[in-house]
Amino acid sequence: MSWAWLPLGSHGDVSWQQVSDVVERCDPSVHVCAGRVGYGIEGFRSTHRQAVRTQELAAAAKPAPQFTDFSAVAPIALMATNMDDMRAWVWSVLGPLAVDDENSARLRETAQIFLDTSCSYTATASAQILHKNTVQYRIRKAEEIMGHPVQKGHTDLEIALRAVQYLGSTLLRTSPA
């Protein structure tokens, strides 16, 4: 394991996207976790703490990503200090939709995009290259499985879906409860 502090904020010459692109072209065993850009000694300390949290999260993810930026996963990284409690919370939010299978994954992805697009069936259909009726069917199915509308408690649902998107099978059941 190695630590490096890159002066990305000082010159603007290199972005996290460029770092990510380079890492993803490297050997698959190379993993990089990054904190936000910070300034001065306190910025260094803060960035280091964020990178450590991000590293802990990336180590728990299945499969582990090659590049993880704290900015993209901050809420999940901060929540993941107790994985057992986080898993129980995700299961309580998603209910039977927290199963590690293809159908549930498809429904979770559609629900996440639906919430990201302000509950627009048309925008979700466009993003997934599906017919609007297919999106409506999937949302109804997800609601039926969870036992409540997608919009009910949508903040918790959005966070739980993001956590599962990032941590994958680490947070899911292997079979329905």
Side-chain angles (χ1 to χ4, degrees):
M1 178 185 336
S2 298
W3 291 95
W5 192 28
L6 304 175
L8 297 182
S10 61
H11 303 293
D13 297 332
V14 179
S15 72
W16 280 132
Q17 185 58 52
Q18 291 168 312
V19 172
S20 174
D21 292 345
V22 168
V23 170
E24 289 177 6
R25 288 192 304 264
C26 289
D27 182 292
S29 66
V30 173
H31 299 273
V32 174
C33 297
R36 290 185 175 141
V37 172
Y39 300 95
I41 192 70
E42 187 48 44
F44 174 80
R45 288 179 185 134
S46 176
T47 295
H48 181 71
R49 284 191 306 270
Q50 292 168 1
V52 168
R53 286 279 175 124
T54 304
Q55 178 192 23
E56 292 165 353
L57 182 66
K62 290 183 176 128
Q66 277 195 269
F67 179 80
T68 309
D69 176 13
F70 181 79
S71 297
V73 298
I76 308 307
L78 295 170
M79 289 173 50
T81 55
N82 184 323
M83 201 58 70
D84 291 335
D85 286 348
M86 186 174 185
R87 186 178 301 109
W89 179 78
V90 165
W91 289 2
S92 73
V93 172
L94 296 180
L97 200 57
V99 174
D100 191 11
D101 66 19
E102 228 177 282
N103 185 53
S104 296
R106 189 171 29 255
L107 295 176
R108 285 191 305 269
E109 178 185 21
T110 300
Q112 183 174 354
I113 294 170
F114 183 69
L115 291 169
D116 288 347
T117 60
S118 301
C119 301
S120 167
Y121 292 103
T122 304
T124 303
S126 176
Q128 288 196 290
I129 311 170
L130 296 170
H131 192 278
K132 182 179 169 182
N133 291 347
T134 303
V135 171
Q136 290 172 332
Y137 170 79
R138 286 185 183 179
I139 295 300
R140 274 195 314 271
K141 194 70 176 159
E143 291 175 338
E144 182 183 303
I145 290 170
M146 290 187 303
H148 60 81
V150 167
Q151 290 93 338
K152 181 181 178 228
H154 70 87
T155 301
D156 282 354
L157 181 59
E158 286 180 73
I159 294 168
L161 290 169
R162 292 239 180 266
V164 170
Q165 177 189 24
Y166 188 77
L167 288 166
S169 62
T170 303
L171 295 178
L172 298 172
R173 294 179 170 109
T174 54
S175 61

